[in-house]
Amino acid sequence: MTGRHGIHEINKSELQVSEFASDVEAGLSSSRKSLKSKYFYDKTGSYLFEQICLQPEYYVTRLEADILMERSLDIADACQDQVSVIELGSGNSCKTRILFRHILERQGSLYYFPIDVSHSILIESVQKLSSDFPNLYPVAISSDYAAGIDQATDFITKRYHVPCRKLVLFLGSSIGNFDLYEARSFLNMLTEKMEKTDLLLIGFDLQKKPNVLNTAYNDQAGMTARFNLNMLSRINTELGGEFDTKKFEHHAFYNEDMKRVEMHLISTTDQQVYIKSIGKSFNFGEGESIHTENSYKYSLEQIRDLADYCGLEVKTNLVDEKKWFNLALLSPMG
Ligand code: AVI
């Protein structure tokens, strides 16, 4: 269907407030309090994440863009035939632009299916892409990933002129925000939806010295802290919470045993916070933590094992000079 903006778009899914409320209630009622990291990304949170990506300490975005810049031609060549690109969690599609140039050089035109839950960001980015790349045909899909891939595949198979071979992108090391079981079920889901000739390009942040990681998640400008605390502001705005964000502190550190950066919000005092939509108050002791995010860091062996477990073969690891970041090119095992 063609949306209000004159851009091809499929499906719009709005986050259910009740799901947010019940997740918050469950997380804050647990003996070890936690909030799901997917709730970081309201409008302000998405803006703050973009700001994090610009911070000098947060190497992730820069290194991934460098690898894409240097190796895009290899990725485009690995596609061999004509492809359609599906991007999961496309956001502003900034880094993907680098890849478009090379793919467009090879095949002249390109169908691009950005999939994101944030409808507003999706539409904004697709409008810009359409005017910057005349031969790019974006089809915006605001949906969760599994349903989004099905919709893209359906679109591709019903139109004979759209290349069937898929290049699926999952950039930015978002896979690091899943634990091992979630990462496995996510990749298994992708494997099931891919043909043998399809390709999958995934960004993995690699294990490195703790001080680099600690610095990256504690930037001087305080963007990561604002991003973390915004979770409480979001609960205030959307669920009628009464959090005083000045009474919580951002705490992020590399847990070497678990090979992950953990983000927490620490209560600086004994306090009770009421949340209207839940109809309940929650107690926080001084020094008590709300665990808000894990960001797992991988080794190349772990990536291979994970891929193997999910029926995927690592075709190439595109790693930067410092070996801090890896773009793994995978395909379903033959
Ligand atoms: C989105 N994700 C890959 C980021 C990360 O590094 O885990 C989110 C983030 N959290 C704090 N800084 C960035």
Side-chain angles (χ1 to χ4, degrees):
M1 117 177 97
T2 303
R4 269 177 295 139
H5 320 268
I7 282 165
H8 208 106
E9 51 182 278
I10 301 177
N11 199 23
K12 298 167 192 174
S13 72
E14 296 304 331
L15 180 70
Q16 295 301 306
V17 169
S18 58
E19 187 194 336
F20 184 26
S22 63
D23 281 348
V24 169
E25 180 175 8
L28 296 185
S29 303
S30 154
S31 57
R32 288 174 170 220
K33 293 186 172 63
S34 65
L35 290 168
K36 292 187 178 179
S37 59
K38 68 173 180 178
Y39 293 120
F40 278 133
Y41 303 92
D42 65 350
K43 201 158 187 246
T44 311
S46 301
Y47 165 78
L48 288 169
F49 179 61
E50 280 182 17
Q51 296 305 305
I52 289 175
C53 293
L54 300 174
Q55 299 311 304
E57 298 93 337
Y58 193 73
Y59 57 86
V60 174
T61 319
R62 232 178 13 261
L63 285 186
E64 188 174 43
D66 288 350
I67 298 172
L68 276 173
M69 215 101 79
E70 279 169 31
R71 308 295 298 272
S72 263
L73 204 57
D74 299 335
I75 299 166
D77 284 347
C79 295
Q80 292 167 355
D81 294 333
Q82 300 231 330
V83 287
S84 294
V85 171
I86 299 177
E87 182 168 12
L88 310 175
S90 51
N92 59 16
S93 304
C94 207
K95 283 168 285 182
T96 329
R97 288 170 169 255
I98 306 167
L99 202 54
F100 290 152
R101 280 190 206 104
H102 287 110
I103 298 183
L104 282 168
E105 262 168 37
R106 284 187 89 253
Q107 61 185 53
S109 65
L110 174 64
Y111 276 85
Y112 171 55
F113 301 85
I115 302 174
D116 207 297
V117 279
S118 171
H119 186 251
S120 51
I121 294 183
L122 203 52
I123 293 305
E124 206 180 299
S125 101
V126 152
Q127 277 172 334
K128 282 193 199 133
L129 285 171
S130 299
S131 64
D132 294 348
F133 295 93
N135 294 329
L136 184 82
Y137 306 121
V139 180
I141 302 179
S142 73
S143 160
D144 64 58
Y145 298 149
I149 298 177
D150 287 344
Q151 287 164 34
T153 307
D154 191 51
F155 185 102
I156 290 167
T157 44
K158 283 189 178 143
R159 289 164 178 81
Y160 75 94
H161 59 279
V162 183
C164 292
R165 194 162 192 216
K166 301 190 286 277
L167 169 62
V168 181
L169 309 177
F170 192 47
L171 302 178
S173 83
S174 296
I175 195 156
N177 298 129
F178 297 152
D179 66 26
L180 181 63
Y181 301 100
E182 291 166 335
R184 281 176 176 170
S185 79
F186 172 71
L187 287 187
N188 275 328
M189 176 275 288
L190 291 185
T191 309
E192 248 175 51
K193 295 184 186 299
M194 287 168 69
E195 302 297 327
K196 298 269 178 282
T197 51
D198 291 345
L199 290 164
L200 173 62
L201 187 69
I202 304 198
F204 286 93
D205 198 14
L206 298 177
Q207 289 160 13
K208 57 186 68 65
K209 289 204 175 108
N211 71 312
V212 178
L213 292 163
N214 289 329
T215 309
Y217 289 79
N218 289 282
D219 62 283
Q220 288 242 331
M223 287 301 165
T224 313
R226 283 177 60 191
F227 173 74
N228 199 4
L229 285 159
N230 179 61
M231 180 80 93
L232 303 182
S233 306
R234 181 174 185 184
I235 295 174
N236 288 349
T237 317
E238 294 183 26
L239 302 180
E242 294 179 3
F243 280 102
D244 179 349
T245 54
K246 290 190 284 307
K247 292 186 180 161
F248 286 86
E249 270 172 8
H250 163 73
H251 182 48
F253 62 92
Y254 184 51
N255 179 334
E256 271 203 86
D257 293 335
M258 301 298 288
K259 307 281 183 237
R260 68 188 190 198
V261 172
E262 293 183 13
M263 289 217 307
H264 297 256
L265 289 164
I266 309 291
S267 172
T268 57
T269 181
D270 290 339
Q271 54 182 317
Q272 201 173 55
V273 179
Y274 181 69
I275 303 177
K276 196 173 169 207
S277 306
I278 301 175
K280 245 193 204 174
S281 291
F282 297 88
N283 293 318
F284 300 88
E286 183 180 343
E288 189 177 356
S289 137
I290 311 173
H291 192 162
T292 50
E293 187 181 63
N294 289 317
S295 191
Y296 284 86
K297 307 304 168 189
Y298 280 81
S299 67
L300 293 183
E301 293 70 35
Q302 284 172 332
I303 295 169
R304 192 202 46 220
D305 290 349
L306 174 65
D308 203 50
Y309 187 90
C310 301
L312 292 162
E313 181 192 351
V314 179
K315 295 217 143 209
T316 331
N317 284 314
L318 306 170
V319 181
D320 65 290
E321 262 181 12
K322 286 191 277 195
K323 300 195 169 56
W324 281 8
F325 198 87
N326 177 30
L327 268 176
L329 191 61
L330 313 165
S331 72
M333 279 170 190

